[in-house]
Amino acid sequence: MRNLHAQLMGYVAAIFASPTPEQIAELLAELHPPKPFRIRLKVLYAEPLSVAQIIAQGAEAGRFRPLSTAGLGYALRVPDAYVSATDDDDGEEDERVGAERRPPAPPSARRRAGVGQLYFAVLPTTQPDVSVIVSVAEREDWAYLLREIKGLYPKLVPILLSQREFVQSVATLRDQVRGAYDMRTRELSAKERIDTSTGERTRSLREWTEEAWDRSIRDASDRRQVVTSVTLAFHRIVGTQPNINAS
């Protein structure tokens, strides 16, 4: 397992060292990383400097290590111990529900798996002030990168959507892939308000499922939940049958 993870990270580093965003996107489209690794994205806004320029400044300060002279890919050293991505730091009650419960692996276990470097790239969009950070990482290491990015605020600002914009964006994506892929909700995080003996509290929930998106968002709406994040699975359709082993 250690060798497989090390080989995967070596391949990911080679992808992000590619000279053009188009090459990186093309290679990522062909990549199907094994669990618990996933292709993860974060959309960022910056001005007057671009996101790429601010990340490059971070590299000059020693925060990141460039993977090539193209200025697209970087490496980030992940320390052996840090707060797990599933630990909430907002003081709210946290409840995880669903058929599958996944406690985070301890940092020592992740290190034994050979994951000590995280690789990511900065890819442009059609909007000059907006770029996408993309990585292939486990949940905990991705959370560490996001904390590093958060440390660059207010130079870098994540783009936050209203609940309506969020739901409409996912619905638009579903419509765009309809017929070619069966889109399912793999993981959904939400917040809801509950009454307790000490007053009203906000509870965080995380659910693992394979429901259709329409069913997931309808259930969340019925429970008056605010969806904060969603992980989607795309199953290729051949004829009328989805390939349930693909995502």
Side-chain angles (χ1 to χ4, degrees):
M1 184 66 69
R2 178 187 179 94
N3 289 337
L4 288 177
H5 286 186
Q7 290 174 12
L8 173 63
M9 288 297 97
Y11 184 66
V12 169
I15 290 177
F16 292 152
S18 299
T20 67
E22 291 77 14
Q23 283 182 289
I24 293 176
E26 181 179 351
L27 291 169
L28 285 177
E30 299 173 352
L31 182 66
H32 301 283
K35 295 180 180 180
F37 295 91
R38 292 182 186 168
I39 299 174
R40 304 178 188 270
L41 307 172
K42 187 70 173 180
V43 182
L44 298 172
Y45 171 86
E47 68 169 358
L49 297 179
S50 68
V51 174
Q53 288 174 319
I54 293 173
I55 294 296
Q57 289 180 350
E60 293 174 358
R63 189 185 295 260
F64 313 114
R65 176 173 61 84
L67 296 177
S68 70
T69 57
L72 298 172
Y74 296 88
L76 171 65
R77 177 68 184 176
V78 180
D80 286 345
Y82 53 88
V83 177
S84 165
T86 55
D87 289 340
D88 290 328
D89 57 3
D90 56 6
E92 297 174 347
E93 181 181 353
D94 187 18
E95 178 179 320
R96 293 175 176 81
V97 298
E100 184 178 359
R101 296 178 182 269
R102 308 182 212 176
S108 58
R110 294 199 302 275
R111 297 302 148 244
R112 286 196 299 272
V115 184
Q117 293 276 345
L118 179 145
Y119 303 101
F120 68 96
V122 183
L123 303 182
T125 69
T126 56
Q127 302 297 320
D129 299 330
V130 178
S131 294
V132 176
I133 299 288
V134 58
S135 182
V136 180
E138 295 179 88
R139 175 195 301 277
E140 291 83 3
D141 292 346
W142 173 247
Y144 184 79
L145 172 60
L146 294 184
R147 280 194 286 274
E148 289 292 306
I149 297 298
K150 187 176 181 179
L152 296 174
Y153 179 87
K155 294 181 179 179
L156 288 183
V157 179
I159 295 180
L160 302 178
L161 301 178
S162 69
Q163 188 73 177
R164 179 185 296 273
E165 291 170 330
F166 179 80
V167 172
Q168 288 180 342
S169 296
V170 177
T172 298
L173 177 61
R174 176 207 56 204
D175 293 341
Q176 290 176 342
V177 303
R178 191 190 302 274
Y181 292 91
D182 177 36
M183 191 183 83
R184 298 270 169 172
T185 304
R186 173 177 288 170
E187 179 181 323
L188 185 144
S189 297
K191 293 183 182 293
E192 65 180 9
R193 294 193 177 277
I194 59 173
D195 292 325
T196 69
S197 58
T198 58
E200 190 176 66
R201 292 177 57 88
T202 299
R203 178 170 60 182
S204 300
L205 304 101
R206 181 173 293 120
E207 300 181 357
W208 288 273
T209 177
E210 277 292 327
E211 292 181 334
W213 165 249
D214 289 347
R215 172 67 181 273
S216 298
I217 196 62
R218 183 170 63 250
D219 289 347
S221 177
D222 289 344
R223 300 195 306 242
R224 297 184 179 180
Q225 295 173 343
V226 175
V227 178
T228 55
S229 69
V230 63
T231 300
L232 303 170
F234 296 85
H235 304 294
R236 183 179 293 279
I237 297 175
V238 178
T240 60
Q241 298 299 316
N243 179 4
I244 62 173
N245 294 319
S247 60

